[in-house]
Amino acid sequence: MSIRIADGRARVVREIRAAAPLMSRLAVPLTSRGPWLTAALNAQPARVRARAVVVEPHLQGRPDGLALLALRRRGPATAVTLLGTGPGPLPEGRPQCRLYAPDPETAGRLADGVLDLLAGLRGPWTLRLAGLPLGDPTLGRLAAGLPDATTATTRSRRLVDELDAVGEVYRSTDPAALERVLPALLCRVPADQRSFVRAAARLHAAIGWLEVAVVRRGDDVAALLLTLLDRGPDGTDRWPWWGWSDGGGLRRKLGSPWASLTASGGLVSLTRRGVHRAGVSRGTAAG
């Protein structure tokens, strides 16, 4: 197997398309598939750079393993996160993100590729990978390769759709239904997230992966909910994404736990003995 790094939006888009069979084989959630990731790429600021760590049996083949990352310069440091987690709200209640590796061997090589990427960054860096399933093998290999890494388990809270108990609900997967309520939707979304929510909602509605639920009070929208629809052989998995209500019908309850990892390299920190630089696995990052 070979490991390479694809840099820049156009190249990362090609890797996402090539990885569609891998994503399907791993049964990843909608938030880790091509449409969501493409919307995130289109919405992220120009200062955020996308990179893909690719494990493949031979050069330019379909990937056996993949990590999709977003790099953002913050002062002297580079912040590294998972692609798709930054530009807008994610649905909660279950792990939303993936490091795409079907077996332990591929997970180990994928972790090596991520470590090589970190070691090649110019200057200090921070790494935060969140929203991953418990026991993710790549996360475990990364933690072993980063001496200062911290892993954590977080119990998420999922959005529960009980709108039918508060009034008559109009539900539709028609993209036109989304367009009719977009103004009411976007005025409740933080300004810096609107472009992503608009793009992601439209894209998923166009392919039948989004339901719009609306409760009206006269001519006004009293409640609105977007739900992602994952259609499979066992039926449709409904995953409430984002919404609001002026009269109840939406609440949050405990959902499934997910795992996260944080680490840093090349950062100056203060200890009782004075100033030192945080260690970096596989050699100090070039700078």
Side-chain angles (χ1 to χ4, degrees):
M1 291 184 183
S2 64
I3 303 172
R4 61 181 174 84
I5 296 174
D7 187 2
R9 182 187 177 281
R11 292 180 179 178
V12 171
V13 167
R14 286 198 294 269
E15 300 303 335
I16 292 172
R17 291 172 178 169
L22 175 63
M23 295 173 179
S24 178
R25 178 155 54 104
L26 295 176
V28 301
L30 297 185
T31 49
S32 292
R33 298 186 200 172
W36 185 278
L37 297 169
T38 300
L41 274 170
N42 291 337
Q44 69 185 13
R47 61 183 177 275
V48 179
R49 192 166 189 88
R51 291 192 182 178
V53 179
V54 186
V55 179
E56 55 194 355
H58 50 80
L59 291 178
Q60 303 303 320
R62 290 194 180 276
D64 285 345
L66 183 68
L68 298 167
L69 304 172
L71 284 69
R72 180 174 183 174
R73 198 74 176 176
R74 292 181 175 173
T78 299
V80 183
T81 58
L82 290 168
L83 180 66
T85 61
L90 281 161
E92 297 185 359
R94 64 183 77 170
Q96 314 109 320
C97 304
R98 291 295 186 273
L99 294 165
Y100 310 87
D103 54 68
E105 180 183 0
T106 305
R109 291 182 178 274
L110 187 58
D112 288 343
V114 174
L115 292 172
D116 287 340
L117 182 150
L118 295 173
L121 293 176
R122 300 173 61 183
W125 50 264
T126 62
L127 174 70
R128 176 166 172 76
L129 308 178
L132 293 162
L134 300 183
D136 183 282
T138 308
L139 203 68
R141 293 292 293 267
L142 283 170
L146 294 165
D148 71 333
T150 300
T151 58
T153 300
T154 302
R155 188 70 181 270
S156 64
R157 297 182 65 85
R158 65 185 180 93
L159 188 61
V160 180
D161 178 1
E162 297 177 341
L163 291 176
D164 290 297
V166 300
E168 183 178 357
V169 185
Y170 172 75
R171 300 181 185 271
S172 177
T173 58
D174 186 346
L178 172 66
E179 294 300 323
R180 285 193 291 269
V181 297
L182 262 180
L185 167 71
L186 295 176
C187 72
R188 302 284 186 119
V189 176
D192 61 345
Q193 298 181 359
R194 288 172 188 165
S195 62
F196 169 75
V197 171
R198 182 190 296 110
R202 282 175 168 168
L203 184 53
H204 286 77
I207 57 179
W209 291 4
L210 183 80
E211 177 194 86
V212 180
V214 182
V215 177
R216 291 190 176 275
R217 185 177 296 121
D219 293 332
D220 297 328
V221 175
L224 191 154
L225 176 65
L226 302 181
T227 298
L228 296 175
L229 306 176
D230 189 358
R231 305 183 189 278
D234 298 327
T236 299
D237 178 29
R238 300 172 57 82
W239 193 4
W241 169 21
W242 193 92
W244 54 268
S245 174
D246 292 333
L250 295 178
R251 63 184 178 92
R252 293 189 180 274
K253 64 182 295 186
L254 288 177
S256 302
W258 63 52
S260 64
L261 177 147
T262 57
S264 61
L267 296 176
V268 174
S269 60
L270 291 174
T271 69
R272 292 178 181 177
R273 297 181 180 179
V275 178
H276 75 281
R277 283 194 170 273
V280 182
S281 176
R282 303 168 69 87
T284 301

